[in-house]
Amino acid sequence: MARTLIAGNWKMNTTLSDAISLSISIRDQLTLPPDTEVVLFPPTPFAVPVRDAVRGTTIKLGVQNIHNEESGAYTGETSVTMLDGICEYALIGHSERRTLFNESNDFINQKIQACFAHGIKAILCVGETETERNEGITSQVITRQVESALRDIEGIERLVIAYEPIWAIGTGLVPEAEEVNHTLGQTIRSQIKSLYGTQASEETPLLYGGSVNPGNAYTFAQADHIDGVLVGGASLDSAQFVEICTQFTLDS
Ligand code: 13P
């Protein structure tokens, strides 16, 4: 059985003081059942102050992107080695990085390899566009993304996968929980099983992301294959984010 994981992706939002007060406010309101992880993904410059704000609690920290090389002439990039002692997680292959920054499946694969080689856990993001969904090729698109991202991976126990349909991100549109459950179970979990075996497929947390809010979190929590959620907009409001965590873990 996979652990429950609820993550907040702040994207390119907050100032330094916003980031500190948001993390303190989440910290002070949150109570979690055992075996549940909450991970905050602030903008990289605020990783250290947010780490300090949540130090001593069960809240974990991640960055929204990394580069696969350890160091060198990569202006503006952050390497995994720089995260040592700062955070435990990295988001890899978010659709905004794939589309706005042309990240390829190969590059995403290299980033995951770099994370695992340095003990960083990766939340791999996958998802189809609206056109691909309408064409009925969601499963093929997700299969291709997962397959290429997970090529030659060692350290599969550090993997989390977030299924984020691009048409659901920031739009207020959400798929039915049953549809998400089908994609996670029939496409993603069965693919992990065929690539890395039964234990990996059962223990890899699979998340849903895209317009998650306090009103729909409970429905997603009821689905067998949805182990958690990756929250964007609603994670910038501490009360909403904490309520999502509460709704998601109500029956734990
Ligand atoms: P929203 O929750 O704002 O739709 O964003 C989802 C997302 O992209 C999280 O990574």
Side-chain angles (χ1 to χ4, degrees):
M1 175 111 169
R3 65 190 186 280
T4 301
L5 195 157
I6 297 155
N9 174 11
W10 298 357
K11 307 194 180 183
M12 198 175 73
N13 293 297
T14 69
T15 61
L16 173 60
S17 65
D18 291 341
I20 294 170
S21 55
L22 179 56
S23 47
I24 289 174
S25 179
I26 291 169
R27 177 196 75 188
D28 290 349
Q29 294 176 67
L30 200 62
T31 47
L32 287 175
D35 209 26
T36 300
E37 275 188 348
V38 166
V39 190
L40 303 180
F41 289 88
T44 302
F46 308 147
V48 170
V50 170
R51 176 202 62 182
D52 293 345
V54 300
R55 202 192 285 272
T57 73
T58 54
I59 298 173
K60 296 187 171 153
L61 191 69
V63 289
Q64 300 169 18
N65 181 37
I66 53 106
H67 195 276
N68 62 302
E69 295 293 343
E70 290 188 7
S71 62
Y74 300 97
T75 300
E77 294 292 318
T78 306
S79 79
V80 270
T81 45
M82 294 170 185
L83 304 179
D84 197 24
I86 297 176
C87 71
E88 230 176 276
Y89 279 89
L91 280 185
I92 303 291
H94 192 282
S95 62
E96 286 149 20
R97 298 222 49 93
R98 291 178 191 258
T99 52
L100 301 173
F101 303 98
N102 297 320
E103 285 195 6
S104 67
N105 282 322
D106 278 348
F107 193 26
I108 288 164
N109 172 253
Q110 288 164 21
K111 289 178 181 216
I112 293 184
Q113 295 199 21
C115 280
F116 291 178
H118 291 88
I120 300 284
K121 294 173 189 151
I123 301 188
L124 165 68
C125 302
V126 297
E128 82 286 3
T129 62
E130 187 176 18
T131 309
E132 289 163 340
R133 181 177 194 242
N134 293 340
E135 286 171 1
I137 57 168
T138 297
S139 173
Q140 289 96 306
V141 170
I142 305 300
T143 300
R144 195 170 58 238
Q145 290 174 343
V146 171
E147 194 171 49
S148 49
L150 298 189
R151 202 174 304 126
D152 302 327
I153 291 298
E154 280 179 37
I156 197 72
E157 65 283 356
R158 298 199 175 93
L159 179 72
V160 177
I161 297 184
Y163 168 55
E164 299 203 301
I166 294 169
W167 52 271
I169 296 177
T171 58
L173 301 171
V174 286
E176 295 291 329
E178 199 37 57
E179 193 181 331
V180 174
N181 198 46
H182 185 268
T183 300
L184 293 185
Q186 302 306 309
T187 304
I188 301 180
R189 214 178 282 288
S190 58
Q191 201 178 356
I192 299 172
K193 186 173 178 180
S194 66
L195 292 170
Y196 291 98
T198 305
Q199 187 180 356
S201 82
E202 286 173 354
E203 293 182 357
T204 301
L206 302 184
L207 318 183
Y208 166 72
S211 297
V212 174
N213 62 41
N216 59 29
Y218 183 74
T219 318
F220 289 121
Q222 298 307 296
D224 289 348
H225 291 291
I226 307 180
D227 302 309
V229 280
L230 177 54
V231 187
S235 71
L236 292 167
D237 179 312
S238 64
Q240 285 198 42
F241 184 66
V242 169
E243 183 58 23
I244 289 169
C245 296
T246 306
Q247 289 294 322
F248 203 88
T249 53
L250 268 185
D251 300 334
S252 308

